[in-house]
Amino acid sequence: MSMAFNHLRNLNRIHRILHHRFQPLLNATTRFFIDAAASSMPQPQPKQQPSAPSSSLKHNELAKFAAIADTWWDSEGPFKPLHVMNPTRLAFIRSALCRHFKKDPYSAKPLEGLKIVDVGCGGGILSEPLARLGATVTGVDAVEKNIKIAQLHAGLDPATSSIEFCCTTAEKLVEEGRTFDAVMALEVIEHVADPAEFCKSLSALTVPDGATVISTINRSMRAYTTAIVAAEYILRWLPRGTHQWSSFLTPEELVLILQRAGINVEEMAGFVYNPVTGGWSLSDDISVNFIAFGTK
Amino acid sequence: MNRVIKKTVSNICALKVPRKSFCSTEGVKVAGCSIPEVSNDHEKKQAISKVIPQYDIAIVGGGMVGMALSCFLASNPMTKQLSVAIIDSNPALGSSLHIKKEDPPDPRVSTVTPASISFLQDAGAWKYVEQNRHAYFNTMQVWDYTGLGYARYHARDVNKDFLGCVAENKVLHNALLSCVKDSDFKTTIYPLRLSSMTLNTSSMSMAEENPTSKEPPSAQGHGAELQLSDGSSIYAKLVVGADGGKSHVRELAGIKTTGWNYSQNAIICTVEHTYENECAWQRFLPTGPIALLPMGDKFSNIVWTMSPTESNNRKSITEEEFLKDVNYALDYGHGPHPTSSLSGTRDVFSWFKTDATLSTNEFFEIPPKVTRLASERMVFPLSLRHANSYALKRVVLIGDAAHTVHPLAGQGVNLGFGDAFSLSRIIAEGIALGTDIGEVNMLKKYEAERKTANIMMMAILDGVQKAYSIDFGPFNILRAAAFHGANYISPLKRSIISYASGEHKLPIFF
C-alpha cells in the first residue's frame, strides 16, 4: 500500500528536479524567444459567425471534435491515447496542486475545497477524476455534443454527478466574472486560433495565487513524427487532421505567452510513451508532449 | 462478531446508501428516495422502495482470498473509505466462530509463504493467525523414490528465519475476518448467492438514444447490477470474483478458461506423531508426490497425490492400514533412501559451491513416524485451470476464480493473496488519481502484473507434476541429477527457495 505513496513521492522528486532544470529557461527573456514566439503564433482570426460560442477557437477544429464526440468514453475508440495518458497527467496535476495548495497528498480526496475549471473538457475525461479527488469542478467545452456526452457520463457516478458542465468558452467565463482556484487547459491550446489571447483568458479565470495547468504538444521534429505521422497516419490512434504541426507551441513559447498573461511557469514535465509496455510516464523529456504548471 | 451483523443489519435495513439520481437524464432525482419503512421483509421492501444499495466494490466470495482483499483495502489509507459488499452464503461469515486451540486440527491447511505473511502482517491480519494453531518451518526436504536424489533446504540459505508457515484454512479465514471486523472499514455481508449480473458496458450510445427512458435505473448508471438469490439487487462500480475454481462471476462475465484435469486425486488428512514435526517433507512417488507439513502440537498435514482408484481405496481402508501406507510412502516405499552421496556427484557438483554457509552438507533425514489419524480423509480431484482474461470493464477475477493450480507446494492460496494484494494496490493507485475503479484500463494493469506470475508458477508446478509422472530409468537419473544439482548449486538453490517462498525470482529449472 505504501507503493502508491512511493510513486507520488517519486513524482514530487521529478518535479523538483525539473523545476531546477527549467529555472534558467523560465527566466529566459532573450529576443530570440520573443521573436520566435511572436512570428510563429497564428494571427487572431477575424470573428466569424457571431452565433458561435467561441472567440479564440477555430471552427474547423470544433467540427472535427463534434464528429467523434460519441466515442469519448470508448476506451478502445479514437480517444484511447488520451485515456491511457490520463493517469500520468493526473499524477502531475495532483502532486503539483497538493504542493501549491498545501493539501495532504496521502488523502483520497486531496483536492477537496478547490474550485477547478477544465477548459476544453471534451467528454469529461479530466473533469471526472478531478471531481473524484474532491475538487468542485466546472467543465467547459465549445462543442455542445461534448458537453452532452460529458453530462450523461458524469451523471452515472454519484462521485462525479456534481460536475457543472457548460457549453461555453474561457472568454465567456471571463465575461461572466467567474474565477477558479485552478484552471486546467489540457491538450487544448494547440486547437485554439490565438494562444496568447487564450492564455490571457486563462489567467483572468485564475484567482490571485491560483494555479494554471496547460499541456500540449511541442513543435519539434520529434513531435511531428510521433504525434502526427505515427499517431495519425501509421498507428491511426487519432483521426487524420487532429493536429496541425504549425499550431503547436514550443515550451519556450508557452512559458513566454503565459508570462505575458501574468502566469509564472514553475514546473514542467514531459510525457513519454513506452511502446513496449504501452504506458505513459512522466519524464524530463519535453520534446513531444509536455505539461506546464504555473501560478498567478 | 456481533458488530458485523449489526453493521449488516443497519446497512440493509436503514439503507444507508448514497441515494442518487437513478435516472440517466441529468438533474432528475427519483422521487422514491425517501427512507423506506424498516421491515424485516428485505425482499418486499426492496420492491416497494426501489432503492437499490450502491457499493464501490462487491466481492463475490468471502473466502480466504476475498477476505484478504477486504483486509488489504481496509488497511490502505487510499481505499479504506470504500464501501464494500461481500456476497457469500457461507454462515461462517455472519456467525461467531470460535476457534479453540484444543479442537482437532482441520485437514484443510495452507502453506503461507514469507511473502504472503508480510502482506498479511502489513494489513494487520497476521497477529490473529498467531493467536491460533500455526507452525513455522525452517527446513524443507524433497526427495524421490528412486533413491538417487534429495534436496534439503534451510531458511538460513536465503537469510530468513523460516521458509513458510502452515495454518489451517479456518484459522487464516477467521484471522482475516477478525481483521476486517476490528477495522472501521464499511463492509456489508450479504449471506446470499449471486444469481445474475448485468454489466452493461456499452451504455453510452444507448443512454443517448433513449435519454428519457422510463426504465428503472439500468445498470449503466451504477456500474454493475448484481441480482442476489433472495431477489434483491445491489449495484457496484467493481465486481470482484473471488468465488473459487467454479467461479460464478467468471461464468456470468463470459470469461473462458483453459486447463485440464490431471487424472489424479489428492487425499488430505491430519495425522499425529509422537514428537513435534518441524520440517516440511515432500517425497515424489511414482504415483505422485506425498507431502507432510508440520501443523504444530505434534500434528502434521498430509497431501498425497495418487490415481482416483488408489485414492478411493485408501480413503476406505482402516486407519491402521492407512497409517502403515503413509509411513511406508514416507520411508522405504517404492525405493531406498537416497544416499548422502550419489556415486561421486558430490565431487561433480562440489565446484559449484560458492557459499560455505549453505546447507549443502545437510544429510538426508527420515520423516517422523505417523502414529494416529487425527481427522477424516478427504479426497479432491486435481486440475489446472486458467482464466483467459482476469479483467473486463467492472469485473475482475482473483484467486482460484482466475487460476486453479496443482496443490503441490501449497501455492494456490499464496497466488490468491498475491492477486488480492496487487489488486488492492492498483485500486489505491487508481483512487489516488481519481480513476473510476471499474475502468478496464486500470484493471488491465492488475491482469498484466499477475498473469505472468501466475502462469509461471502454474507452469512450474505442472512441469514438476509431469516430470514425476514418468517412471523411466535414464530419466529418473537425470531428474535425480537435477535434484542434486539443485541441492549443490548454491545460487540455483537459493532461487528455488526464493521462488517457492513467494519472492519473484525465476528458477532456471526444477
Side-chain angles (χ1 to χ4, degrees), chain A residues 1 3-5 70 75 83 87 90-91 94 105-108 129 132-133 149 151-153 156-158 161, chain B residues 20 24 26 75-78 81 122 204 207-208 220-221 237 421 425 429 431-436 440-441:
Chain A
M1 77 223 64
M3 301 276 272
F5 295 142
D70 286 342
S75 56
H83 282 283
L90 278 152
R94 183 192 211 271
Y106 300 110
S107 156
R132 285 197 196 91
L133 292 176
I149 298 281
Q151 275 169 339
L152 258 171
H153 194 271
L156 304 182
D157 182 351
S161 57
Chain B
K20 271 290 164 191
S24 48
E26 68 280 355
S75 64
N76 188 313
M78 284 291 157
Q81 85 296 339
D122 290 348
M204 279 309 288
E208 206 195 4
Q220 44 116 348
K237 289 178 193 166
F421 183 76
R425 216 195 61 242
E429 278 173 14
I431 286 176
L433 299 175
T435 315
D436 171 4
V440 69
N441 285 331

Side-chain angles (χ1 to χ4, degrees), chain B residues 486-497:
Chain B
N487 204 17
Y488 288 114
I489 305 167
S490 312
L492 177 66
K493 182 170 171 178
R494 202 177 280 131
S495 81
I496 289 172
I497 307 174

Side-chain angles (χ1 to χ4, degrees), chain B residues 36-51:
Chain B
E37 285 174 30
V38 176
S39 124
N40 290 331
D41 194 343
H42 183 196
E43 200 176 327
K44 202 189 245 173
K45 191 188 63 215
Q46 285 283 354
I48 296 166
S49 67
K50 290 235 168 119
V51 175

Side-chain angles (χ1 to χ4, degrees), chain B residues 57 137 160 171 300-301 333 340 370 386 391 417 432 450 461 465-466 475 508 510:
Chain B
I57 301 179
F137 60 92
K160 284 203 176 350
V171 169
S300 282
N301 185 263
S340 50
V370 168
H386 189 254
F417 287 155
R450 292 305 298 169
L461 297 179
Q465 154 73 23
K466 293 223 161 85
F475 185 78
I508 308 158
F510 190 170

Side-chain angles (χ1 to χ4, degrees), chain A residues 97-280:
Chain A
L97 292 182
C98 279
R99 207 142 14 88
H100 180 70
F101 292 103
K102 305 206 165 38
K103 298 286 186 181
D104 175 16
Y106 300 110
S107 156
K109 294 192 170 190
L111 306 185
E112 229 150 23
L114 291 183
K115 250 169 69 183
I116 300 182
V117 65
D118 177 9
V119 177
C121 64
I125 290 178
L126 178 74
S127 301
E128 288 196 10
L130 290 174
R132 285 197 196 91
L133 292 176
T136 308
V137 181
T138 303
V140 301
D141 201 291
V143 179
E144 200 174 351
K145 215 169 164 188
N146 284 347
I147 290 298
K148 279 201 178 130
I149 298 281
Q151 275 169 339
L152 258 171
H153 194 271
L156 304 182
D157 182 351
T160 54
S161 57
S162 60
I163 302 174
E164 173 197 22
F165 285 109
C166 308
C167 180
T168 183
T169 62
E171 287 80 358
K172 283 267 170 66
L173 287 177
V174 174
E175 279 170 32
E176 289 166 23
R178 301 277 301 264
T179 56
F180 301 88
D181 299 309
V183 176
M184 309 283 137
L186 303 196
E187 319 303 327
V188 173
I189 200 162
E190 66 270 24
H191 302 287
V192 307
D194 185 347
E197 275 306 308
F198 182 68
C199 285
K200 277 184 196 156
S201 301
L202 296 184
S203 174
L205 289 174
T206 314
V207 296
D209 204 34
T212 310
V213 180
I214 293 182
S215 74
T216 184
I217 305 174
N218 197 342
R219 196 180 65 255
S220 63
M221 269 332 277
R222 257 190 72 201
Y224 180 74
T225 45
T226 54
I228 297 182
V229 178
E232 294 182 20
Y233 289 86
I234 300 172
L235 300 168
R236 309 262 168 92
W237 279 358
L238 300 170
R240 286 182 193 179
T242 302
H243 289 119
Q244 260 187 303
W245 190 65
S246 59
S247 23
F248 292 170
L249 293 173
T250 64
E252 296 84 355
E253 289 163 1
L254 182 67
V255 166
L256 283 169
I257 59 172
L258 280 171
Q259 215 164 45
R260 283 187 203 155
I263 292 162
N264 262 322
V265 175
E266 295 191 346
E267 289 179 37
M268 214 182 260
F271 297 133
V272 178
Y273 180 74
N274 179 341
V276 178
T277 61
W280 290 83

Side-chain angles (χ1 to χ4, degrees), chain B residues 138-152:
Chain B
N138 55 23
T139 329
M140 190 163 84
Q141 177 176 296
V142 186
W143 73 110
D144 80 359
Y145 67 94
T146 59
L148 295 176
Y150 81 91
R152 244 179 113 80

Side-chain angles (χ1 to χ4, degrees), chain B residues 27 213 259 416:
Chain B
S213 164

